[in-house]
Amino acid sequence: MAGSSAEQSKGRRTQPPWTPPAGTEPCKLRLYNSLTRNKDVFVPQNGRRVTWYCCGPTVYDASHMGHARSYISFDILRRVLRDYFQFDVFYCMNITDIDDKIIRRARQNHLFEQYREQRPRPAQLLQDVRTALEPLAVKLRETADPDKKQMLERMQRAVQVAAEPLEEALRSDLAAEEVDRRAQALLEEARDVLSDWLDAALGSGVTDNSIFSELPRFWEAEFHRDMAALNVLPPDVLTRVSEYVPEIVRFVQKIVDNGYGYVSNGSVYFDTAKFASSEGHSYGKLVPEAVGDQQALQEGEGDLSVSAERLSEKRSPNDFALWKASKPGEPSWPCPWGKGRPGWHIECSAMAGTLLGASMDIHGGGFDLRFPHHDNELAQSEAHFENDCWVRYFLHTGHLTIAGCKMSKSLKNFITIKDALRRHSARQLRLAFLMHAWKDTLDYSSNTMESALQYEKFMNEFFLNVKDLLRAPVDVTGQFEKWEEEEAALNESFYDKKTAVHEALCDNVDTRTVLEEMRALVSQCNLYMAARKAARRRPNRVLLESIARYLTHLLQIFGAIEEESSLGFPVGGPGSSLNLEGAVMPYLQALAEFRAGVRTIARERHVPEVLQLSDALRDDILPELGVRLEDHEGLPTVVKLVDRETLLREREEKKRAEEEKRRKKEEAARKRQEQEAAKLAKMKIPPSEMFLSEGDKRKLFEAQQKLHAEYLQTAPCGGAP
């Protein structure tokens, strides 16, 4: 037996060893880190858990497109990290409800409303406005910034123009009602000028803390409504400065105890020189070249906190306030150093430190916050925790410009989110942001939005065409068709695009490239469907549905498709509320077939009234319900569920195009008539009369002679006038 076994073993051929297939290592997510100014591989400190703090808004006015730039961009990044890369993201955001801007605006609003309630006589109002314009004129003379100067000039001129009708009314002794109307118009136009004047004179007398809390509470609520309208996910935790004053006081005290803060005249300042000279610490990590920029530092301190007295309290002009002793007309809280209020920079450090600890994975904010705000945050937090890495990755969104111009709330050059949403949908705004890198400047303009609208329409038409294809009845086996070379090629391209999308998302979440790859994939699908249609062969249903669902998934990850959306493919099952199309389409299809039959009979029997009713159903009635019918000669009517606003906009555009076509046709006919009339008038002139006062213009004479002879031959009665 053993010998036999050995013989068998000797005769058996040796099998080659199995080797794993050669492959490339998958790409890793890299994020642009402002701390290193490089794209760094993203590695959270605690496995898949990501701690993220985002600087929230200072709530004293309406949220604008600059806010949308940051919070939509961070929402996209957050969704991609959570839903694509499968990180467990804990997202914390603050609300700044104690700030110099809020204090000043709250006082101004309060004092202006008091002034309005006093109902000043028109003559007194006019005098007050003239008085209020005097400090504005001084500010205008002292302003070197050309943009600010232009803004102040516009304000001054607008108030002066509004004052002229009231001055005339008082001189002319007009009726009291007309005088009051003009006075109210001036009061509204001069609101900002009067508010500044009233605050300068009476602001120190405003002492009720509730006045300083009502304003931010109102605007915070508006901010949350705007974010919800933009489909921005709410934070996992929201912190308000007013609710964290005790934590801020303790945080500041620890900095003082560690030797990096000092008390001066009831305020507490951060000692930048002491911190920078300490081993293991450095000041100005994000923008070292900006250290010492006094203009930026003073803007960070706030308008109410920059004075000769406050500057004299500092050991160095580079030091910044951790805690501010409250002056008359400012809210205050008790603390070991006397009544005061938090500085701007300290709030984020204290609140983030309380919730996220001594080190976080991601800190986000707008590009303009790098210095001094975020550099000061880093310094004071590392001074508090005695470490050198409070933030691992600093992400800063790019600026937003408006038609190429700098957006600035202080210069009154901004568009509110509510105004933007009146012009475009939240999806269209988000697509515009997705078409630009999150860290680069984005220009909000008609061209930018037109690109977003065209992209939305392009994608939606693809989804609608695939849905129409899938509605064609087939039996169970008919769903699976033989693949030819065209299907294999499209499927290979599909996988190539998925690889390209993944690589783009790994490369600093490059959504611009992702959208381009998605567009290219749809273009290939459209060519495939067109070729199949030309060959009178049905496109492969399973392959196209798979591609459509993948594209829908990407748009959902980016937040461009809400749960209840007509764009893309439904994600719910047959019983889901999302399956609206499945519920209504059989009825719409029956209606379309009935209409097609009626139109055929109406054409055969020449009944234009019925054709008009059929067109009205297609063009006027169904679009109001979000239904588009597409008639194709010799083919069944295509039924598509489309967003109602999109259909109404298409209808208006079609009407405008038809009106423009009609206008151009009428204009062309009018020009032809004018040309023919001019030619006829010229033909009537005998050559001898035309050139009586001319010199020797033989060629012109002969041409006119020929033209006139032609007229004499064709005109009735021998051309007699």
Side-chain angles (χ1 to χ4, degrees), residues 5 7-15:
S5 176
E7 290 174 2
Q8 291 177 5
S9 177
K10 184 178 180 180
R12 185 186 305 143
R13 289 191 301 174
T14 303
Q15 295 293 329

Coordinates of all heavy atoms in Angstrom, one line a residue, residues 5 7-15:
S5 N 1.1 4.0 -2.9 CA 0.8 5.5 -2.6 C 2.0 6.3 -3.1 O 1.8 7.4 -3.6 CB 0.6 5.6 -1.1 OG 0.4 7.0 -0.8
E7 N 4.0 5.7 -5.4 CA 4.0 5.7 -6.9 C 3.0 6.7 -7.4 O 3.3 7.5 -8.3 CB 3.7 4.3 -7.5 CG 4.9 3.3 -7.3 CD 4.5 2.0 -7.7 OE1 3.4 1.8 -8.2 OE2 5.3 1.0 -7.6
Q8 N 1.8 6.7 -6.7 CA 0.8 7.7 -7.1 C 1.2 9.1 -6.9 O 1.0 10.0 -7.7 CB -0.5 7.4 -6.3 CG -1.2 6.1 -6.7 CD -2.4 5.8 -5.9 OE1 -2.8 6.7 -5.1 NE2 -3.0 4.7 -6.1
S9 N 1.9 9.3 -5.7 CA 2.4 10.7 -5.4 C 3.4 11.1 -6.4 O 3.5 12.3 -6.8 CB 2.9 10.7 -4.0 OG 3.4 11.9 -3.7
K10 N 4.3 10.2 -6.8 CA 5.3 10.5 -7.7 C 4.8 10.9 -9.1 O 5.3 11.8 -9.8 CB 6.3 9.3 -7.8 CG 7.5 9.6 -8.7 CD 8.4 8.4 -8.7 CE 9.6 8.7 -9.6 NZ 10.6 7.5 -9.6
G11 N 3.7 10.2 -9.4 CA 3.1 10.5 -10.7 C 2.2 11.7 -10.8 O 1.9 12.2 -11.9
R12 N 1.8 12.3 -9.6 CA 0.9 13.4 -9.6 C 1.7 14.7 -9.9 O 2.8 14.9 -9.4 CB 0.2 13.6 -8.3 CG -0.8 14.7 -8.2 CD -1.4 14.8 -6.8 NE -1.9 13.5 -6.3 CZ -1.8 13.1 -5.1 NH1 -1.1 13.9 -4.2 NH2 -2.3 12.0 -4.7
R13 N 1.1 15.6 -10.8 CA 1.8 16.8 -11.1 C 1.7 17.8 -9.9 O 0.6 17.9 -9.3 CB 1.2 17.4 -12.4 CG 1.6 16.7 -13.6 CD 1.2 17.4 -14.9 NE -0.2 17.7 -14.9 CZ -0.8 18.4 -15.9 NH1 -0.1 19.0 -16.8 NH2 -2.1 18.6 -15.9
T14 N 2.7 18.5 -9.6 CA 2.7 19.5 -8.5 C 1.9 20.8 -9.0 O 2.1 21.3 -10.0 CB 4.1 20.0 -8.2 OG1 4.9 18.8 -7.9 CG2 4.1 20.9 -7.0
Q15 N 0.9 21.1 -8.1 CA 0.0 22.3 -8.4 C 0.8 23.6 -8.0 O 1.5 23.6 -7.0 CB -1.3 22.3 -7.7 CG -2.2 21.1 -8.1 CD -2.7 21.3 -9.5 OE1 -2.9 22.4 -9.9 NE2 -2.9 20.2 -10.2

